Structure formats: C-alpha cells, structure tokens
Amino acid sequence: MSLTTPYYLIDKSKLLINMEKVARLRELSGARALLALKCFATWSVFDFMREYMDGTTSSSLNEVRLGHERFGKETHAYSVAYADYEIDEVVSHADKIIFNSIGQLDRFADRAAGIVRGLRLNPGISSSSFDLADPARPFSRLGEWDVKKVEPVMDRISGFMIHNNCENGDFDLFDRMLGTIEEKFAPLLKRAEWVSLGGGIHFTGENYPLEKFAERLKRFAGEYGVQVYLEPGEASITKSTTLETTVLDLLDNGKHLAVVDSSIEAHMLDLLIYRENAKLSPNTGQHRYMVCGKSCLAGDIFGEFDFEKELKVGDRISIQDAAGYTMVKKNWFNGVKMPAIAIRELDGNIRTVREFSYADYETSLS
Ligand SMILES: Cc1ncc(COP(=O)(O)O)c(C=O)c1O
C-alpha cells in the first residue's frame, strides 16, 4: 500500500553518499564531525549516521538532550544564551559546553566545572549572502571578537567555536577566511586545545576538493596543536530527502497553477524566509506550472517548474532536498496535515517512522 502524502522521504542510499564523504574527511584530516541538530534532528536515522560521525552539537537544552539520548558519542552544548534554570541539565547531557559570551562564561563556568568549556569567537567575516543569516553582521551577538577581552578568561576555557562559513562551497574562500581567522586570533589559538570551525562548509558537494580541504584542516590542527571539529548540518544530509506531495487542484489564471497537499509556509519554511524556490527534478518539459501550497497565505508558492506532461489531480510531485532546516521548522499553520516521515532503507523498502494526527495538532496548543 502506498503511503498517503504529504510525507518527507529520507533515502538512506543518498544519505550514505554524504556519510561516506564525512567519514573520509575525518580519516584524512583527523578532524571530528558533529551533526548540527539545528539543521536536522530526525533521530530515526541516527543509528545509521552514528557509524560515520563523532556525535552532535546543539543550540538549546532540548537539542543537547536529544543528541545525548538519541545519537550518543560526543555531545557539544552551545546556545546563544542559557537560562539559570536550564544550565545544570545542559551540563548533565554534554561533554563540552561552548559559551557564546564572556558574560555567560562568568555566570555559569563554575556550574560547568565538571566538563570541558569553551567560548565562541566571531572573526567579523563570513561567507553569508543573506544579512538575516550572517553571523558576522554588524553588531552581531554571536560570539566574542576582542582578543584583549578573551585572553584574561583563558584559564577557564580550553577551546573555541568559530562559525562563519555559510553555504560555502568554495574551498578557496574557506581557505582565505581561515587565514584571516589565524591572523586575528593566533594568540588565542596557540593556547587552545581544540577548535570547532562550525558548519556551513559544503564539502560533501560534487566537485568539492575534499583532499585539499582535509590537508588545510590538518595543517591548521598541526600549527596550533588543536583537535579540530566541524559541525556539518546541511553537508550531512544534503540531497537525501524529498517532500512527497499530491496535486489537489488545478487553476488557470493566466498561468497554470497546481495546488498540492502541502505548504511551503508550514513544511519548507526556510525557503520562504530566504525567498528561494523549491527544487524539482528533472524540471524539464513543455508544461510550466506554478506549484502552490494549500495554506491561505497568498505567497505560499513552491515555485514555477516545467513538466513533461500536463498535470492532473492526483499526480505526485516530489520536492527535492527537503531535509535541512525543513523538518526542524515544520509547523501547524492553518492546521495543514503534518507530513509523515518515512525512510527508504538501503534495500529499497520504505518504512514509515512517524505519522501525525489531530491529537498532535491539538496538543501543540492548549
Ligand atoms: C554554530 C553553528 N554550527 C553549525 C551550523 C550548521 O550549519 P550548516 O547546516 O550550514 O552546515 C550552524 C548553522 O547556522 C551554526 O550556527
């Protein structure tokens, strides 16, 4: 029996392609790779991913707990700001805690004395092309940047996290920015035992020079005598997942419109925030349609795509690349049916791991 749409379909054979690259990079470079749960936290595939990665990193108490309980291995805790009521529980789940500011370090270092502590640094440069997502934007709250302020707290920390690569598929740009980081922060790096270079490096992409990247990481590690970490989110899961939808209605208002049983606002929100089109494959043919979501939002539009044949009600549309920053952001806007989550196993069998009901909708509020 075929599954009722909408559902997210995680294809393990595609996930494996990324996982093998992650594993190869770890082997070549000595760097450790932690899955960034903010990007992808669908824990039903953690048993599979665990074989290829060193653990997880987090942005909240809930994420650090999920990483500890569902993924295991090495668990890093980070948050822009921890509250007094959560810090003890965060520490209980983590191997390392990275404070975002000296203020947070001052406040909570003692309560985190039993685990490794670090600080986020902000180098003031990034590869982001979106102001909204640029960690190095003017007046950024994301990390400390003044070496003179950080030096006096070195007795309480042993390492740093620097996240300034954003959707960066350009190795030369990574290399140049790391060079700038070295110039700015050399006195701190020399005293560190570990450095996490964050996420945002698209090293699992086709044609990325993995060997050169590994060599650069290894050189960096050797130069400062540090254990390097990476926090790949998108790179870990890219191209592994689709959002499976069905056409519910067709309209013609000067353009051909196809309304599907999903919503970009509710199920792929990140695309809407960054005003990007969804991806369809192969996206070739004579018949162009605007594919629209079923929420009431006028701009609930996945994009315009070309199809080989005229669409009919009941046709299936697969939206590509639906793993990163999608499932973690899905919401109940309009009460639209929440996509189920299914996994295509390596042998081709599809297993549904989660379906959402009216009770889930009702209990999401009160
Ligand atoms: C600190 C940190 N680590 C890791 C990531 C994961 O980034 P990506 O999913 O682009 O690899 C992010 C993304 O915002 C981040 O802020």
Side-chain angles (χ1 to χ4, degrees), residues 36 38-39 57-58 78 120 133 142 161-163 165-167 198-202 231-236 325:
K38 71 184 73 186
C39 172
T57 188
S58 57
Y78 164 76
R120 179 167 182 169
L142 303 173
M161 186 268 276
I162 302 167
H163 169 77
N165 286 280
C166 305
E167 304 202 352
I201 308 159
H202 283 198
E231 304 177 359
E234 190 63 45
S236 305
Y325 302 98

Side-chain angles (χ1 to χ4, degrees), residues 130 132 264 268-278 297 299-303:
F130 296 99
L132 181 64
I264 192 165
M268 291 194 87
L269 181 61
D270 222 41
L271 293 177
L272 203 61
I273 293 174
Y274 293 104
R275 296 182 179 278
E276 290 185 330
N277 277 345
L297 181 76
D300 192 339
I301 296 165
F302 287 93

